Amino acid sequence: MKTKEITVHVNGTPHTKEVSTRLLLVHFIRDDLDMTGTHIGCDTSNCGACTILLDGKSIKSCTVLAVQADGKQVTTIEGMANGAQFHPIQEGFHEEHGLQCGFCTPGMIMRAAELLEKNPNPTEEEIRWGISGNLCRCTGYQNIVKAIQYAAEKMSTEAETA
Amino acid sequence: MIEPKTSKKICGMGHRMKRKEDARFLHGQGTYVDDIKLPGMLFMDIVRSPYAYAKIKSINTEKALEIPGVLAVITGETLKEYNLHWMPTLMSDTQMVLPTDTVMYQAQEVAAVIATDRYAAADGIEAVEVEYEPMKAVVNPHKALDADAPVLRTDKEGKTDNHIWHWESGDREGTDKLFEEADIVVKENIYVPRIHVASIETCGCIADFRPATGKLTVHLTTQAPHAVRTVIALVAGHVGLSEEKVRVISPDIGGGFGGKVPVYPGYVIAIAASVVIGKPVKWIEDRSENLQADSFARDYHMVGEIAADKDGTMKALRIKTLADHGYTDAAANPSKYPAGMFSICTGSYQFENAFTEMDAVYTNKPPGGVAYRCSFRVTEAVHAIERMVDVLAQELGRDPAELRMQNFIQPDQFPYHSPTGWEYDSGNYPAALQKAMDMIGYDELRKEQAEKRARGELMGIGVCSFTEVVGAGPSKDFDILGIKMFDSAEIRIHPTGKAIARFGTKSQGQGHETTYAQIVAEELGIPALHIEVEEGDTDTAPYGLGTYASRSTPTAGAAAAKAARKIRDKARKIAAHLLEVSEEDLDWEPGKFFVKGAPDKSTTIQDIAFAAYTNHPQGMEAGLEAVHYYDPPNLTFPFGSYICVVDIDKQTGEPKIRRFVAIDDCGNIINPMIVEGQIHGGLTQGLAPAMFEELIYDEDGNILNGTFMDYLLPTAVETPHWETGHTITPCPHHPIGAKGVGESPTVGAPPAIANAIVDALSHLGVTNIDIPITPFKVWKILKEKGVTNA
């Protein structure tokens, strides 16, 4: 088994580990770093439960090798809040009942983070297309859309007052 | 909306309380089974059959065992030593845990590899060499009953065919007579295909057997932890797993929808492995394993018939069904109901008589027959009746909404005794349909449709007025493996007036931690925020049958109210003691007792709780707690009316849902926000089989769409904006008048969508299209009818 030493910066903290070259990034995050907020829901990169940010871009971490993240910045759901204080996207999900079982939620939030970064005032249509790589079986998406709209509004208000 | 009786601070019933469980999920701190890591934990992966039907000639494990990290390979022969290679199903059939000689469906478990990490286990399954001798599979359920069809269950002594059971309900002769005398008879073949719940979390477990104590703890994706504990004790009691030594913990569950009711072979293998090796063993299935091997739903081939008078009065209903159960009947139904609640098929209408019969058959497909978010086969029944009413309307040239109004059971007819033996508790069907028609602007839409049709455009309007039957159920009729289908609540009030409430059910996203707290808050006036709700640990929770079939609110929700009322009765005694008056002199308002006529002379529930531990009356037991096992007197019958508008692209055949209005009546509402969320989700799981989902097998029994690449779940793009509303007809026999809601929309949406699409094509002579109604199916019709040249 080939191994390689990698350093991945996860939510701002560098983690240096000797890993198998075939280790998936999602397993590195979950099993090696014990950050289990990033989930696995399929084996074909369709469901998006494993979505994280890699150098600010939302990616499906089940389809990236840990070694490909060497030297890069990873943001996971655990890096979104400020202590116990929700990020506006998390707050939106809570306020608008955008989650039920919670399994797809971290992936949805990470996807929404990049979506709002690129497009701070998306239309409903843009949000729906924007999260179309993330599957949810509980909510019917309607309140997820509202949650992202809530976050968009709050983040743009915050940006104006900043 | 009915005004809540409690203050916002107490947050009892009717408040849009934000969910108490949200924070851990939003912070990524939920604990799903794959998030649990135990010291020394091993991993299991499963070798699966590439064939639908084959003899196993040999299994060679040598190369697998040479792989670093692989510790053991378990086969059927290994389990046979402990007599654990077969297990009973919930329907008193038998199912292989691992085969010793024959595989019966593609993706069936063949062997299990135990290794020190998940990658080694995955390498291990690749290295297990299995030699098969394929046989001709029986895939088509109609052909399964042919005289020359091979008999699949040769393990069953004396079995000479593939027939499992025959079931019937209603009055055959009386119904036949009405059909003979009828002015009009309509008939249609309706297939509700095999689908899969596909919760985003797959199934899995960690079996943790400790040799020193003999205790087995299983962390398990289960909707019914207590039932599983008893099953484990019954199945494996002979190898020492006595029920007090078995603890089942159902942690956070990433969606269930019925798929996490059964006990899957993988769980049993992991338990056996842990017992034999003496270390925790984790098994988490992949999505493709989940889709290909775990319990399917539906798969009913139905022939529906309605007999009616010329004026549209519906007289009799007849439905004959062929049910494909795969190689064993592993359906999740109450014991006495092999076809679940299918006999609710007379729906929302007055029929003089009805008769329904069903035959179940074995085929070389995965076993199952779970619910996919519905109460035991109600979806199939509702699809049949709601499609058939439209077929009749079309035959008569009548408006489908108007025909429904004509035939509805009327509000003054409740309790209503249906021809198939149900006692509908309450309902107001005309009000729900009228509200849906008003909300969507039904008459305007019909005008628009006529104009469009004249221009050659394809637009359809679909109506569905369903009746659900949920909340199983009364112990006189309902049991699973003999265990009556009550459910339970245990509430303990702490000295400082806060509480913990434990239940026999298990949320998989329904929001029990919030809604149960609101029920207790309503009854005791303790703020819902101060009531901790716990479920899913069989060592601490009172026994219950779990969460499925929309039964949590009708059973455990009722138990919560009843247990709280027992506590309030004791609190009254303590209050009388504290206020030095007699009990009869006290009045209650949420959160306090006060002396009649002297409202300022009062004591709060918090004061009473403190006194229960510090200053209780002499002779009274200390403490303030209660447990209640609720045996419902009847089922509950939520209902609703849905209207869907579709536009169809003439060139591509793509139906697009323009609007969808859903009016639901689930009785009294505990939390309107959560109810709306349940309805959005349920509607989307109704849309899914209506337009996208079907598990497809070729003639050799190969599954053709066993991954998320080709088994299509709707995304946010395909899902329309749902417009919801409600009427409230309280349940007369439930302590808080609630009925359950999680599954109504999954039941009601498919026929509304199918009816809309068929309606758009009805002028072409189309009377039925089987779901899922894909663009390709529609395009083929348009091509055949000469509507499109594309």
Side-chain angles (χ1 to χ4, degrees), chain B residues 538-678:
Chain B
T538 59
D539 266 10
T540 57
Y543 204 102
L545 270 284
T547 292
Y548 41 86
S550 290
R551 68 185 299 279
S552 299
T553 293
T555 59
K562 291 279 198 179
R565 287 172 195 178
K566 287 180 188 171
I567 287 172
R568 204 167 66 200
D569 288 345
K570 183 171 180 182
R572 179 184 288 270
K573 292 187 198 316
I574 299 171
H577 165 72
L578 294 177
L579 295 170
E580 297 176 331
V581 294
S582 72
E583 285 179 54
E584 295 73 41
D585 293 333
L586 292 173
D587 266 341
W588 166 258
E589 71 176 54
K592 66 179 178 186
F593 283 103
F594 59 93
V595 177
K596 280 178 185 160
D600 50 343
K601 210 176 166 209
S602 66
T603 181
T604 66
I605 188 74
Q606 288 78 13
D607 293 338
I608 295 166
F610 195 66
Y613 295 87
T614 60
N615 177 26
H616 58 287
Q618 286 301 303
M620 181 189 275
E621 270 185 72
L624 195 56
E625 59 183 68
V627 60
H628 191 89
Y629 290 82
Y630 186 76
D631 183 359
N634 190 5
L635 298 154
T636 63
F637 296 78
F639 61 92
S641 273
Y642 296 170
I643 303 180
C644 173
V645 185
V646 297
D647 299 297
I648 296 179
D649 184 314
K650 265 166 62 176
Q651 300 308 315
T652 64
E654 186 184 2
K656 194 166 168 47
I657 295 176
R658 190 204 308 174
R659 287 186 68 191
F660 194 109
V661 164
I663 302 298
D664 272 281
D665 193 319
C666 60
N668 287 337
I669 291 172
I670 301 163
N671 182 326
M673 177 193 81
I674 287 180
V675 167
E676 283 159 23
Q678 288 288 304

Side-chain angles (χ1 to χ4, degrees), chain A residues 31 34 43 90 101 137 142, chain B residues 26 32 37 288 693 722:
Chain A
D31 295 346
D34 290 329
D43 44 10
Q90 292 168 311
C101 82
R137 201 59 158 165
Q142 194 148 317
Chain B
L26 289 166
Y32 303 92
K37 208 180 202 181
S288 45
E693 294 176 15
W722 306 110

Side-chain angles (χ1 to χ4, degrees), chain B residues 214-216 229 233 240-247 539:
Chain B
K215 180 132 186 171
L216 172 73
R229 184 187 70 192
L241 294 178
S242 181
E243 193 162 2
E244 84 284 7
K245 294 286 189 190
V246 179
R247 179 184 189 184
D539 266 10

Side-chain angles (χ1 to χ4, degrees), chain B residues 463 470 479:
Chain B
V463 179
V470 307
D479 70 271

